[in-house]
Amino acid sequence: MNNLVLLLFIILVIACTTAVFACHSPRPVSAGQAVAKALRWWAETILDSFGWGKPPLPEYPVHVGYDGMNILPQIVDKELEKMRKSFDSCYCQNYSVLKNRIQYLFPVLFPKSAQDDMEHFKNLIQKQAEEGLVSHMRKFDCQLPAEPLTSIQLFSDSLIISFARNEEGIREIAEIKRKLRSLEHMQKPEPETFYEKWTSTPIDRYTDDKSAKMVWGYQAGAYRDGGILMPIRLNIATHCHALITGSSGSGKSQALLFLIGKLLQAHPDICLYVCDFKKSEDFKFLEDYPYYYAGKDCCKGIMAYYRRFSEIRENGSDGRRHLLICDEYPSLINYLQMCDKQNKTKHANDILGAVSEILMLGRGTGNSCSVWFITQRSDSSLFANGARDNFMVIIGLGRLSKEQRTMTFAGEEIPDRIFHAGEGVLLADGEEITEVKYPLIEDAPDWKSHILTALMRHDSARADVQA
């Protein structure tokens, strides 16, 4: 009975509100339009009364484009109209409300005049963005200076504006500006391909860092949030063994090509053994390199490297670093195991034993002997006697199954994110697990040519090539 009375009362209230809207509307409205208007008015009144529906306001009123409920791109365009007119085409495409700042993305077309003095143009856009923010904050009686709250990042086809929401956001804005100044020579690649460009400078004459730390990729979070290329640097002397895993199509071969180039930038005189079991087109350019082994010859390559490793353990380092790279290692082991069954040989066991010994005793060579293995799965059976625990760098690319995550990154929290080709996670000894992104090489033939030139230039010993 009480529920029925309450229902009748609600209907009566809505009917009265509908009549009010119908009578006081400046234009004739239908009964349905009046009812819809009344229901919308009551919904907004209830939400406002309880504080529902509205996002919490930031500590600073920097939410350009805010209409009281949401941030709307068309209002952003209006509030930053002066800045937009500096481009031939510019409009707000999207925005992101982060914990400490708000970011706005604008596709842009640069005017020809901007090319003459890009530094002046950047300063102009910065000032115009600050003016738009000041005008917005005045609506909320806020007199904060806009310069420390605002950063702009200009790329070849887009503009990102960041506004700090609080004190921590101001610190983040200052850090973004500092990184932009230090990386001023770098430009954001195309969003879909993440290119890395190289000049004609030989790869072994270009060193990223004089401390000889090589670049193991770029921090995916920094690129995703701000378009900033922040390299992940590790010293191969302390992180000599690496495992790269990921399903087919996850970008392993391209990541490996990138890493080889970065390795040669940091250590141009390294002696590299490359075992390419699947005879990939990506590494066919190494056919003339004496330490390149393809197909079933990979067994010879691993054993040749093992003999070099044993000599160094016995006689001491020869002054050079040595690295064995083995692509599609599980496929090689499966192939050898089948051959062993047919021919009653033990080649697979020889390889497993040699690899296990190198992984566990590599530190005894002053870390001058190291290995990188590329696999689709990182089964422990591939690395005898717990040797898998000796990898100092583990990289998982693309979409990893739950089993793969548990097997490869035991005890680690993996970000719950969909990783595309060339993206994944990197775990290094002494470091927290981090998201990593690898670029495609825009001019792959040129990149490969520099790699081969560097390897051939520093190849001084070929005694065991035919062994």
Side-chain angles (χ1 to χ4, degrees):
M1 184 66 180
N2 290 337
N3 291 338
L4 180 60
V5 172
L6 179 61
L7 179 61
L8 291 173
F9 175 75
I10 292 173
I11 293 173
L12 178 62
V13 170
I14 293 175
C16 292
T17 309
T18 301
V20 170
F21 279 115
C23 294
H24 291 83
S25 175
R27 291 180 290 182
V29 295
S30 66
Q33 290 174 325
V35 170
K37 196 169 183 180
L39 289 173
R40 187 164 56 250
W41 183 84
W42 274 109
E44 291 176 356
T45 301
I46 292 171
L47 289 173
D48 287 344
S49 300
F50 290 94
W52 301 336
K54 292 185 180 181
L57 294 179
E59 187 174 333
Y60 302 149
V62 295
H63 39 1
V64 171
Y66 186 65
D67 71 342
M69 291 288 288
N70 298 294
I71 294 176
L72 301 179
Q74 57 267 37
I75 300 179
V76 175
D77 288 345
K78 186 175 181 180
E79 293 196 71
L80 299 178
E81 184 175 11
K82 184 176 180 180
M83 181 208 74
R84 291 174 52 243
K85 287 183 177 179
S86 295
F87 296 90
D88 289 341
S89 175
C90 178
Y91 62 92
C92 181
Q93 184 182 68
N94 206 346
Y95 69 91
S96 299
V97 180
L98 307 178
K99 182 179 180 182
N100 299 312
R101 63 185 193 276
I102 303 176
Q103 288 188 164
Y104 299 84
L105 173 65
F106 295 81
V108 296
L109 286 177
F110 286 89
K112 291 183 179 179
S113 59
Q115 306 298 329
D116 298 332
D117 190 349
M118 184 56 73
E119 191 61 35
H120 173 76
F121 187 74
K122 288 179 182 177
N123 293 334
L124 173 65
I125 299 304
Q126 175 79 29
K127 293 300 180 185
Q128 291 174 340
E130 292 172 12
E131 290 175 16
L133 178 60
V134 168
S135 298
H136 171 81
M137 291 192 296
R138 280 183 188 144
K139 301 175 186 178
F140 300 89
D141 297 322
C142 180
Q143 304 296 323
L144 287 172
E147 192 277 332
L149 299 174
T150 310
S151 77
I152 65 125
Q153 295 163 267
L154 277 175
F155 305 115
S156 60
D157 61 353
S158 60
L159 161 69
I160 293 177
I161 300 178
S162 297
F163 295 131
R165 301 178 64 188
N166 47 40
E167 285 292 326
E168 184 60 32
I170 290 177
R171 284 189 283 272
E172 289 183 7
I173 291 289
E175 182 64 12
I176 288 174
K177 289 180 177 179
R178 185 191 68 78
K179 288 172 181 174
L180 285 175
R181 286 192 295 269
S182 65
L183 298 170
E184 208 167 46
H185 62 288
M186 293 187 180
Q187 293 183 346
K188 181 184 177 182
E190 297 297 325
E192 298 299 322
T193 54
F194 197 81
Y195 286 148
E196 168 139 327
K197 295 184 178 180
W198 285 96
T199 66
S200 58
T201 306
I203 201 166
D204 60 338
R205 295 183 186 175
Y206 180 93
T207 302
D208 267 338
D209 192 299
K210 293 181 179 179
S211 67
K213 288 185 177 181
M214 70 167 281
V215 173
W216 284 81
Y218 295 107
Q219 291 187 18
Y223 175 77
R224 186 172 54 246
D225 293 342
I228 299 174
L229 302 183
M230 291 185 62
I232 300 170
R233 299 181 187 274
L234 299 169
N235 196 324
I236 198 172
T238 55
H239 295 79
C240 54
H241 301 320
L243 176 65
I244 303 171
T245 186
S247 60
S248 180
S250 61
K252 297 189 301 297
S253 295
Q254 285 297 315
L256 180 58
L257 192 63
F258 170 82
L259 288 170
I260 291 174
K262 289 297 184 181
L263 171 71
L264 289 170
Q265 288 178 359
H267 300 278
D269 63 341
I270 195 166
C271 183
L272 201 64
Y273 286 63
V274 180
C275 294
D276 177 22
F277 181 68
K278 66 179 181 181
K279 298 183 178 180
S280 170
E281 285 294 320
D282 291 317
F283 300 101
K284 196 173 181 180
F285 72 98
L286 292 173
E287 282 183 334
D288 293 332
Y289 178 59
Y291 297 123
Y292 171 74
Y293 303 83
K296 60 184 180 181
D297 286 341
C298 289
C299 183
K300 296 179 181 178
I302 293 175
M303 295 312 295
Y305 184 80
Y306 175 69
R307 285 192 291 275
R308 176 66 64 87
F309 162 78
S310 299
E311 290 172 5
I312 291 174
R313 282 196 66 213
E314 182 71 24
N315 304 318
S317 174
D318 59 359
R320 297 180 68 185
R321 291 194 177 278
H322 302 78
L323 171 64
L324 167 66
I325 296 176
C326 188
D327 195 9
E328 293 298 333
Y329 177 62
S331 300
L332 170 63
I333 296 301
N334 289 337
Y335 167 78
L336 292 176
Q337 288 174 338
M338 287 190 296
C339 290
D340 288 343
K341 287 182 181 180
Q342 294 174 355
N343 304 321
K344 295 183 179 180
T345 53
K346 296 182 179 180
H347 294 311
N349 286 339
D350 291 342
I351 295 296
L352 290 171
V355 167
S356 175
E357 187 175 336
I358 295 169
L359 280 169
M360 292 191 291
L361 301 178
R363 291 183 183 274
T365 64
N367 287 341
S368 65
C369 290
S370 49
V371 292
W372 292 359
F373 286 98
I374 295 82
T375 71
Q376 290 193 24
R377 292 174 56 86
S378 57
D379 296 348
S380 58
S381 60
L382 297 170
F383 307 102
N385 305 317
R388 189 177 63 179
D389 296 336
N390 289 276
F391 286 109
M392 295 88 164
V393 181
I394 301 177
I395 300 168
L397 294 176
R399 185 175 180 178
L400 299 176
S401 67
K402 185 177 180 180
E403 181 186 8
Q404 273 286 78
R405 291 184 179 200
T406 303
M407 183 187 307
T408 310
F409 299 97
E412 297 291 335
E413 291 247 346
I414 306 296
D416 187 16
R417 184 185 301 278
I418 296 175
F419 293 109
H420 302 289
E423 300 176 343
V425 291
L426 182 150
L427 177 62
D429 281 359
E431 306 288 339
E432 292 185 358
I433 194 166
T434 185
E435 295 181 42
V436 63
K437 188 174 183 71
Y438 290 97
L440 291 175
I441 311 301
E442 185 179 35
D443 191 348
D446 185 59
W447 180 268
K448 293 175 181 179
S449 174
H450 290 326
I451 288 176
L452 182 58
T453 299
L455 290 174
M456 297 296 281
R457 179 181 292 124
H458 293 282
D459 171 45
S460 58
R462 305 190 181 193
D464 63 347
V465 173
Q466 302 299 328

